[in-house]
Amino acid sequence: FRSLVKALIKKFYDIYKNDQDFIDNFNAKDFFLTNNFFINEKGIGFIYQPYEILPYAFGHINLFLTFEELQKLNIVFKN
């Protein structure tokens, strides 16, 4: 699942790249794949609680990857 973690980190950076607090506080080495996730008809979402990967001020962090994004990573969900 390394490619999945890398994709989530990239998405994370894309969302917060202009936020100096994020830049000052986020360390990709500390990032982990949470077991708090959901799957719906559009893709898979990961929910991080306050303090899990960033200070409380960032609140809950929700990262979502569409099935199209996952397919580009060669991650395919089958029925």
Side-chain angles (χ1 to χ4, degrees):
F1 285 98
R2 247 188 202 140
S3 59
L4 180 58
V5 171
K6 286 181 181 181
L8 286 171
I9 290 172
K10 182 185 179 323
K11 184 154 267 201
F12 208 37
Y13 273 113
D14 289 346
I15 293 169
Y16 291 107
K17 64 185 170 196
N18 296 320
D19 187 323
Q20 189 60 47
D21 285 336
F22 169 78
I23 293 167
D24 292 343
N25 288 289
F26 183 71
N27 184 348
K29 292 178 185 176
D30 295 333
F31 189 84
F32 63 96
L33 194 59
T34 181
N35 61 0
N36 190 10
F37 67 93
F38 64 93
I39 299 172
N40 65 21
E41 67 280 352
K42 295 181 182 179
I44 185 168
F46 297 88
I47 303 167
Y48 293 87
Q49 302 299 320
Y51 290 118
E52 276 192 306
I53 54 177
L54 282 171
Y56 182 83
F58 282 86
H60 290 87
I61 305 294
N62 299 307
L63 298 174
F64 190 83
L65 293 173
T66 65
F67 287 123
E68 184 178 292
E69 291 171 306
L70 292 167
Q71 194 170 25
K72 290 177 186 175
L73 300 170
N74 293 320
I75 299 171
V76 179
F77 290 84
K78 296 182 180 183
N79 293 340

